Amino acid sequence: MKRSILLFPLLLTLAACSSAPKVSYYLLQDVAAKPDASSSAGLLLDVKLPDYLSGPAIVYQTSEVEVNLAQYHQWAESPDKILARNLAARLSRLLPAAMTTPTGKPVKIRLTVEQFNGSYQGHARLAGRYSLLDEKGTPQLSRPFDIRTPQQGDGYDALVAALSVATAQLAAEIARAISPPALTAVP
C-alpha cells in the first residue's frame, strides 16, 4: 500500500514530463528584395544587440524593470541576423539600386539596438541608434530611434508581427535619412 502511494506521485511527474510544451520558432515577416538588386549591393549593415536580446528567446517586458525570455517562443536564427537581413531587404526596396558614399565606397550602417521586444503596455518596441559610417568607420550621421507599434491581438505571432511593422518603419526612417544628397546613386 505504501509503495503504491509513493509510486503514484512519481508516475504523475513522469507523465507530466513526457508532454513537454512544443517550442515555436519565429522570423520577421519576410520582404522580397528588388529583383534586380541583391540586398547587400552597396549596403553594409552591422547590427549590435545587448546580451539579453541576442539569444534565441523572444523577449517580453513584463514591468518597467522585469523582462521575460520566452523559453518556448524563440527566433529561428540569431536576432541580429534576422534584423540585418530584413532591414537590408527593406532598404533595397526603398533606396536606389546601388548606393555609395561620395567616394564610391559601399554605404555602411551601424545599428545599435537597445530594445527589440514586446511590452506589458500592449506594444512592440524597437529602440536604439543608427549611424551612417564613412570608410574609416567614423559616424557621418547618427540618430536615435524609438519605435512603438501596437500589438494587434494576443500571443507571440502578434508580437512578431508588430516587431515586423516596427522594422519596416525603421527602414523607412533610415532610407529618408540617408537618401541623396547624403549619398550618391550609381546609375
Side-chain angles (χ1 to χ4, degrees), residues 9 24 64 67 79 86 89 114 133 146 176:
S24 296
E64 285 195 33
V67 294
N86 195 277
E114 296 165 2
L133 308 176
D146 190 352
R176 281 191 303 273

Side-chain angles (χ1 to χ4, degrees), residues 29-40:
Q29 291 173 348
D30 203 14
V31 60
K34 287 183 188 175
D36 61 340
S38 94
S39 61
S40 61

Side-chain angles (χ1 to χ4, degrees), residues 60-76:
Y60 184 81
Q61 186 173 354
T62 57
S63 74
E64 285 195 33
V65 296
E66 183 179 1
V67 294
N68 177 42
L69 280 65
Q71 184 176 4
Y72 299 108
H73 299 278
Q74 300 183 2
W75 293 111

Side-chain angles (χ1 to χ4, degrees), residues 18 68 99 104 134 138 187:
S18 68
N68 177 42
M99 299 292 291
D134 67 13
T138 306

